[in-house]
Structure formats: C-alpha cells, structure tokens
Amino acid sequence: MDVRRRIPVEPQDVKNDPGQISEIDTDQDDRVALDSDAAQDMEIRDESEDDKSRKGAKTDLSKTIPSGTNKVPDFLQVYLSVLPLRWQNWVIRGIFTLLMSLFFAFVVYLGPLALMITTLCVQVKCFAEIINIGYAVYRIHSLPWFRSLSWYFLIASNYFFYGENLVDYFGIAANRTELLRVLVKYHRFISFSLYIVGFVWFVLSLVKKYYMKQFSLFAWTHIALLIVVTQSYFIIQNIFEGLIWFIVPVSMIIINDVCAYMVGFFIGRTPLIKLSPKKTWEGYIGGGFFTIIFGCLMSHFLCRYDYFVCPVAFDEDLGRMSMACERSHLFRLEDYALPSFLSGIVKMLSLYPVIRTYPFVIHSFYFALFSSIIGPFGGLFASGFKRAFKIKDFGDVIPGHGGIMDRFDCQYLMATFVKVYISSFIRSPSPQHFYSQLLKLPTEHQLVIYKALQESLERGGYGEYL
Amino acid sequence: MDVRRRIPVNPQDVKNDPGQICEIKTDQDDRVALDSDAAEDVEIHDESLDDKSRKGANSDLSKTIPSGTNKTPDFLLVYLSVLPLRWQNWVIRGIFTLLMSLFFAFVVYLGPLALMITTLCVQVKSFAEIINIGYAVYRIHSLPWFRSLSWYFLIASNYLFYGENLVDYFGIAANRTEPLRVLVKYHRFISFSLYIIGFVWFVLSLVKKNYMKQFSLFAWTHIALLIVVTQSYFIIQNIFEGLIWFIVPVSMVIINDICAYMVGFFIGRTPLIRLSPKKTWEGYIGGGFFTVIFGCLISHLLCRYDYFVCPVVFDEDLGRMSTACERSYLFRLEDYTLPLFLSGIMKMRFYPVIRTYPFVIHSFYFALFSSIIGPFGGLFASGFKRAFKIKDFGDFIPGHGGIMDRFDCQYLMATFVKVYISSFIISPSPQHFYSQLLKLPTEHQLVIYKALQESLEREGYRVFVKL
C-alpha cells in the first residue's frame, strides 16, 4: 500500500469545484468540520476489552478505513509531479475515469455472462467496504471470527438471489441432471435453511459484554445485504430483458454525474443543500438537461443493434447465451409528429416536422428524468453517511475516486427503478418465464390448465390458431 | 399508567424457574447483572444537544422504555393482595395467558378477515415497540418529527405487502371499478414511488450534528420493517392457504413455550446456554417432545373441519370469503402402518395401523422446527434485550411484557411455514395460476398453449384438439 498522501486543496478551489455529485471532495470546509468533531468522536462502549484499552482515546475512523489514500502507481507519480498538485488530482481522476469507461465497454462487449460476473465482483467489493466501516465503527477486534458470519450471510443471500435468477432462466436446461434438478426444485427451502443456520450461528456466538456490538453488526450486515445484493439481483434481471436496459440507466447516472459537475464548475452559484455545500442548483438542473439530451441520443444509437436490444436467452442448441430475436414494437422505428409549436419552426428550416425514432427512446426520457431528479439523492445519502461516520471515502480501490461504493452509490436506486418500471409499464416481450413456471406444476394441473385455456381461446375466437 | 411495581423474587425462585423460553424474567442474577452494567451504559453521542445535557448521566433504558411495569387493573390487585407476591405474579400471568388464548380462538372464529386485521394490529404494535427502543437508545428527542418518518415507512411497506396480497387474491373483483384497476395494475410502481418519497424526505431531513443518529434510526426502521412486515405478509399468505396452516404453527410455538417451561420447572437441571441461564436441556428436549405430541393431536383434530382445511377464496357470488372446497389429498384420511418395532407392541391391544391425515406428517415437521429452531428466536430477543439493557419490549400485556415478548418466536415460524408450503406442498388447485395466465396478452397465451401441447404430448398424454 502506498504511503498516505493528502492532496492539499487551496481555498479558491472550493469555489471552483461545485456540483460534483456522488462523492465527497476534500476541501477546507470539510476538513475543518472533521477536525472539530473529532474531539468529541463517537463512542459506543459495551465494556468489552476493546473499549477498556481505548477508553478516552480519540477514534479517527479515517485512520482505520483505507480512505483518502492515493494508490497511484509510482511511475505515473513521476510524470505528474511536474504539475501543480491540484492538476495532479484532476489528471489522476481523468485517467481513471477513462480507464473505468473503457473497462465497462469491454465487459459489455464480452457479453451478458461477463456482465453478471462483473456485477458479482462489484457487489462483493461494495459489501466488503460497507462491512469494514461497520467493523471500524463498532471496534470489534477481539472477535476476529465474527467477520466470517457477515461473509456467510453474503454467500447465503447470493446463493438465494443468483439461484432465483438461474432457476428462472436456465431452469429447463438445469433439469437435465439429477443434482441440479433437486437444487432447482427445493431452491427456496435450501436458501432458507442456509439463512437459519446463519441465524442459529449468530445466537450461539453471542458473547457476554459484546451483545450490543454483535447485534449492531448483525443489523449492519443485513442493511448492507439489503442494499447490495437486492440491487445486483435487479441488475441481472434487467440485463436479461436486454442489455440496453442495463447500459442506458448506468450511462445516464454517469452522464448526470459528469454533466452536473461541469455545469456547476462553469456557472454554479446557488447552493443546493446544506448537506453538500458544493452542489448547486445550476449543476442540478443543467446536469438534468444534458442527461436527457445525451441519454436519448445514446438510446437511439444503441437501439440500432440487436446485440443490445434483444432479451438474453439461453439457447439450448447453441449451449450458450444468445441475443437473436424478433424485435418487439419498442425497438422498431416509428414516426412521431412534433408538437405544433415546434413543427412550425422546423418547417421553416425545411426539415420534416416528424421525428423518426424508437419508442424505447420515450422510456429512456423517463429514465433520464429519474436519474437527474432522484438519482443525486443516492449520492447525497452516501455523502451524509460518510459525514455521519466521519470518513472521507468508502475505500481506496480506485485512485482519485475512492472506493467502489463511491462510484456506485447512485446506481442502486436506478437499478430498482428500472426493474419496477419494466414490470409495471413494459410487458415482458417473451412468455418464456411464465412457461417455465407452468412446467413446474404437476401434470394433472397442466392438463386442467390446458383444457381451460383451450376453451378460453376458442371463446375468444382464436379457434383456428389452435 | 400504573405506578411502577417491581415484583421481588427470592433467590430460591431462581432455581425453581428454569426453562422458560421466549421471554426474559427478572431474577436476582439478572438484576445484579443489569445494575453493574448500568454504570457504563451505552453512550452514542453525536455532539447533539441531547448528548450535551446528559453527558455522564446514567441513562438507564428501563426508565425510558415502559418495561417491567405492571399494568394490572386495580380491582384485580385488591383480590390478589392476599397472596404472596410471587403467587401474584403467577396468577396475573395465568389470567392473561387464558385471556389471550380465548381472544385468539375468538378471532379464529370470526374468520380470515378478522385474522388479517388482527395481524395488522399486532404488527403495528410490535413495530411501535421496536421503534420506541431505537428512539430511546439513540436519544433523538430534539427531532420530534423524525418519528413520523418511521411511521411513513411502515405505512408504505404495508401498502406494498398487503397490496400484493390483495392483488393476488382479489384482483379479479377489484378490476371492476376504475380507480381500483389503476391501483392494481401499477401497484408496484406506486409502492416504489412511496418508498422514494420517504427516501428523499430522509435525505432532506438530515440535520448537522445529528447525522449518525438519523442514519442509525433509518437503519433501525428498516430492520424493524424487515422483521415485522415481511412476517405478517407470510402469515397472511399462510392464512389464505387454509386456516390450519396458520393455527397449527402458532399453537405449536405457544405449546413449546409452555411445555418447555413446565418440564424445566419440574426436572430442569442442565443449563442450556450462557445467554439465558434459566433455560435447561431438559426443558428444551421435553418441550420438543410434548410439542410433537400435542401438535400432531391438534392437527388431527382440526383436519376434521372444512373451516380450517380449505383455502380461503373470495367468492364473488356471495361477495365474501368462503372456505368451502373439495378437500385435497392432504386432508383425506389414510391408513399408515406403524414401523415394525411399534406395531409389535400395538398388536397386543390395537390394530397396527394409524388412521390419520397426511397433513399430520407435515405438522410433525412443523413441530420439529418449532422445538429445535423456534427457541432461537426467543434467545435472539433475549440477547437483544440484554444488549440494550431492557427488561421487556413494552408493558402492553400485564405479567408478560410487550407484544413483541409474546410474538418473538412466531416470526421465524411464519417464514418457515411459507417456505415449506411453496417447496413441498403442491397447490391443491391450479386456479390461481390459471388466472395469472389469463392476464397475459392473447399471442402469449397461444404460444404457451402450443408449447404446452407439445410438452404434454411428449409425456404421452393424448390431447384432443377440437376442430
């Protein structure tokens, strides 16, 4: 690990750095606030040995959590040392923003399976960062094995959620082997048993004088799981609907982030919220404006390719995932007449008063609205959390940016929104899911349903299709 | 509220009172432990005004949470005052145990709708007790309106979960009126929006110097919701499978409670776990033994009546819930031959065959779970109370404590029953699935029809196609 290096920031940088959503920047205001609070730092005592040895000591969480360190490789440091320190920070951030974007594009290119694995890795790292904070907050060093309980719950919940996804989408293929068939059929019961084992383990592990810490960490683990694992479950489901349902929302959050920062940088003036003094209304609104424009453009562009648009299906013949389909109406070009006040202007420019685009772009407009209006609150929530526990960043995996959670805090709300949006407003383009549920029923029931369905379809006048 | 009255307990009562699962009782050992810990009590301060005024003060949570009080009506106390204090405690507990059992039987008699409403009330009261503890622990008195945020989240999650249940079971009836149809169709989106409003409200409500407390209470609220609201969701679903799927598990937890206590009282000797020194292995195993016996007997008795056995459906013609059905195979008498070692004994006097319902086999597994794993719910609650140094969750029920004290073991049980049903019990009728199928667009129905036709033919069923 590199030697800790604080990047000093001059006071005038504070005025020039407004509008950055999703992470907390060191600035003089924040540093002053942190120092004055540190004297009356948080103490949670439970008469454990940890507390007795530290009684009265100042607990500065930033020393325990790896945050604010700068893990820039040395060779880069050599090149950058010619620049003023402030510029160094920006170049590092810029380089790693580019690297992350390229990595993201590469994983998308590799396909849905790579995306799922990447989601899993990101999830595990986020969970580790949140749990590390909890362990530092509650100072539970005398029970080193207690940490494994949190990891056990992570594994158990991933087994449950990833299993649900796999059962839904690969259930038919999995039914071939006996072992998999048993796992598929009793999936929920197995997952529940795993949870009960963890629960019993927790109760048996309670140690006198550590009760409150252990309960607090138990709760912390559950909250972290709620945030991290359920979101990755929704992300995977969105990916199966079609890669575009994943790429567009994720990109919109990133675009909103970057554009709000830039607009705030240039014309930011009115503070937005006391919680984050560097955010401005100009950044908020300007960021939203550009998110809508760039987001809709990107959607229109991505809609042209089957690779992004088709639901991901497991092709049994090919033995792998395939994205070949007959496009649903959402992804077929349509002409939209402009509203009358715009069409007059457009006609003067001798253009057609008609926009030819995909219906999906309408939905991406709503995604853009959500990511601009509500998305930043995810970042504010994470900022507040970091202030509450007096840490600068969640971790230091990404130089210049902080931990993984620092980059992904806004994404979580978005994934849930997209999932709820799809299940409410977009009809599932394929009945595959329902059919696989149907096959789980016993055969007598299938027959009953078959006969009833036959009658219903005939009554509806579809007799000739049967 | 009555004047607080502590019931002193003599040391020899400690030896005589082992084995009570599911609640923590005052005894000398506990009281000594509480006092010595109270001096270094939990302090979470965030430089807020509350902390500055209380710095160094001994914050004894039992003074803030209404626990250990005895809300017995005065007229009862007059009669009881002739007895020694220890007996008073037992008589009060006994009376209210009886009252609660009668109330439970009455609600069951009133029907599924009354059960759902009672579940909702119990849930709200449990939530209130847990939230009260959180607010006392974190001492967040300077933000009185913050409490309403927790209540908002309770309402929003109940809207989601009760709505899901109602949409599933009454969807067709609800689709008649226009506003209901919109609510049904966009139920998840509306629930999600309600949650987002609460989330935004929380972020906007963050006040400098109170951040940690607010985040802690936000987390506390979510945990309380996770425990309380999801369980009541599962309970309602179990009720719809048939009242017996609700009554038998609930009764088993209660029976396990009482029998473990009694066995421990009479022959309890070996301590079970350091967390609760009064529990014994004899109580644990003896309680399990009796739970299996009494549980299976209750199941057998209840299986005879359609009222308990049939799934609850909303009968559109009658306009209300009905429990009339054709019994599934689970509830039809069958003969089971005893295993060899038992049948030898039985042949001497009785037939070596037991005539009972298949459901009783399932209730055997329920009894196993409620005896083996169920007590851990109670231990969890005991540990929680010790961690936060409170005696009871509340004082709603005289002699017993709060609502949570009575229901802490039930929560695991409800989830277990739900998971068990969805994994091992084949739904008695495919009606529910068929109604979901009809909601799909017709092209999809045709696709499914064709695929189903092929699948059935492959399995050897000849399906005739009408021309």
Side-chain angles (χ1 to χ4, degrees), chain A residues 246-263:
Chain A
F246 167 73
I247 298 173
V248 163
V250 166
S251 312
M252 279 182 173
I253 297 280
I254 297 173
I255 292 172
N256 189 53
D257 220 1
V258 172
C259 291
Y261 175 79
M262 297 229 166
V263 173

Side-chain angles (χ1 to χ4, degrees), chain A residues 57-69:
Chain A
K58 192 167 68 172
T59 321
D60 186 0
L61 273 177
S62 358
K63 290 196 174 68
T64 331
I65 312 282
S67 101
T69 55

Side-chain angles (χ1 to χ4, degrees), chain A residues 231 249-251 253-254 407-416:
Chain A
Q231 301 308 316
V250 166
S251 312
I253 297 280
I254 297 173
R407 291 295 87 211
F408 285 88
D409 48 19
C410 289
Q411 299 282 1
Y412 288 123
L413 279 179
M414 193 74 196
T416 318

Side-chain angles (χ1 to χ4, degrees), chain A residues 129-420:
Chain A
E129 285 177 4
I130 300 178
I131 287 294
N132 274 338
I133 295 174
Y135 275 86
V137 164
Y138 288 101
R139 286 192 300 246
I140 196 157
H141 311 293
S142 337
L143 299 172
W145 46 264
F146 195 67
R147 209 178 267 256
S148 41
L149 193 71
S150 304
W151 288 102
Y152 173 83
F153 276 112
L154 178 70
I155 294 170
S157 27
N158 267 317
Y159 178 82
F160 175 59
F161 282 107
Y162 269 75
E164 287 275 309
N165 272 328
L166 294 176
V167 162
D168 272 349
Y169 293 107
F170 300 115
I172 302 165
N175 268 335
R176 301 242 179 87
T177 54
E178 186 56 45
L179 171 67
L180 283 184
R181 191 173 18 226
V182 168
L183 288 181
V184 162
K185 191 167 181 209
Y186 298 113
H187 176 72
R188 287 188 180 181
F189 190 75
I190 295 172
S191 308
F192 178 74
S193 312
L194 289 177
Y195 181 83
I196 290 292
V197 166
F199 184 83
V200 170
W201 177 8
F202 170 73
V203 174
L204 292 176
S205 77
L206 288 172
V207 174
K208 212 172 158 73
K209 297 198 183 302
Y210 280 94
Y211 291 153
M212 205 196 93
K213 292 188 180 199
Q214 288 182 289
F215 271 95
S216 305
L217 276 156
F218 190 69
W220 195 285
T221 303
H222 278 70
I223 295 279
L225 289 176
L226 201 72
I227 296 172
V228 164
V229 179
T230 54
Q231 301 308 316
S232 77
Y233 173 65
F234 292 142
I235 287 174
I236 304 286
Q237 294 205 321
N238 292 342
I239 290 174
F240 273 99
E241 289 288 331
L243 286 180
I244 200 172
W245 295 100
F246 167 73
I247 298 173
V248 163
V250 166
S251 312
M252 279 182 173
I253 297 280
I254 297 173
I255 292 172
N256 189 53
D257 220 1
V258 172
C259 291
Y261 175 79
M262 297 229 166
V263 173
F265 185 86
F266 289 115
I267 61 170
R269 230 173 327 169
T270 337
L272 179 66
I273 190 171
K274 278 170 294 155
L275 175 59
S276 229
K278 292 181 336 303
K279 301 203 197 318
T280 59
W281 275 101
E282 290 85 4
Y284 187 64
I285 296 178
F289 178 72
F290 284 109
T291 305
I292 293 176
I293 293 185
F294 289 138
C296 292
L297 283 176
M298 181 187 274
S299 299
H300 184 94
F301 176 70
L302 289 178
C303 278
R304 300 170 58 188
Y305 303 97
D306 270 5
Y307 183 73
F308 300 118
V309 152
C310 290
V312 173
F314 184 71
D315 195 329
E316 287 188 27
D317 310 319
L318 294 174
R320 58 172 178 82
M321 314 277 214
S322 87
M323 279 139 345
C325 67
E326 190 187 309
R327 292 185 168 223
S328 84
H329 76 281
L330 271 182
F331 300 104
R332 287 195 285 259
L333 280 169
E334 273 187 35
D335 292 330
Y336 292 92
L338 286 174
S340 41
F341 63 92
L342 277 180
S343 61
I345 305 170
V346 170
K347 273 200 195 126
M348 286 200 290
L349 298 170
S350 57
L351 297 167
Y352 286 120
V354 147
I355 291 186
R356 164 164 283 198
T357 182
Y358 305 87
F360 177 78
V361 177
I362 313 288
H363 295 298
S364 68
F365 170 74
Y366 291 113
F367 289 173
L369 275 187
F370 183 87
S371 68
S372 332
I373 299 175
I374 306 292
F377 282 92
L380 291 173
F381 185 87
S383 292
F385 179 84
K386 285 186 282 191
R387 280 179 193 272
F389 293 98
K390 299 187 177 59
I391 54 176
K392 181 180 171 299
D393 288 321
F394 281 96
D396 64 349
V397 171
I398 312 174
H401 291 265
I404 290 267
M405 270 299 286
D406 290 295
R407 291 295 87 211
F408 285 88
D409 48 19
C410 289
Q411 299 282 1
Y412 288 123
L413 279 179
M414 193 74 196
T416 318
F417 172 74
V418 171
K419 174 76 181 93
V420 170

Side-chain angles (χ1 to χ4, degrees), chain A residues 42-43 45 55 186 202 211-212 215 381 384-385 425 428 434-435 438 443 445 450 452 454 462 465-466, chain B residues 40 42-43 186 189 202 212 215 380 383-384 387 424 427 433-434 437 442 444 449-451 453 461 464:
Chain A
M42 186 185 53
E43 293 169 47
R45 298 190 259 123
K55 235 178 168 73
Y186 298 113
F202 170 73
Y211 291 153
M212 205 196 93
F215 271 95
F381 185 87
F385 179 84
F425 299 110
S428 187
F434 200 85
Y435 179 66
L438 181 61
T443 331
H445 291 166
Y450 177 82
Q454 192 176 45
Y462 293 92
Y465 295 108
L466 296 181
Chain B
E40 303 178 53
V42 168
E43 289 172 47
Y186 299 112
F189 190 76
F202 170 74
M212 207 198 91
F215 271 94
F380 185 87
F384 179 84
F424 299 111
S427 189
F433 199 86
Y434 179 65
L437 181 60
T442 331
H444 292 165
Y449 178 84
K450 292 253 161 57
Q453 191 174 45
Y461 289 90
F464 300 97

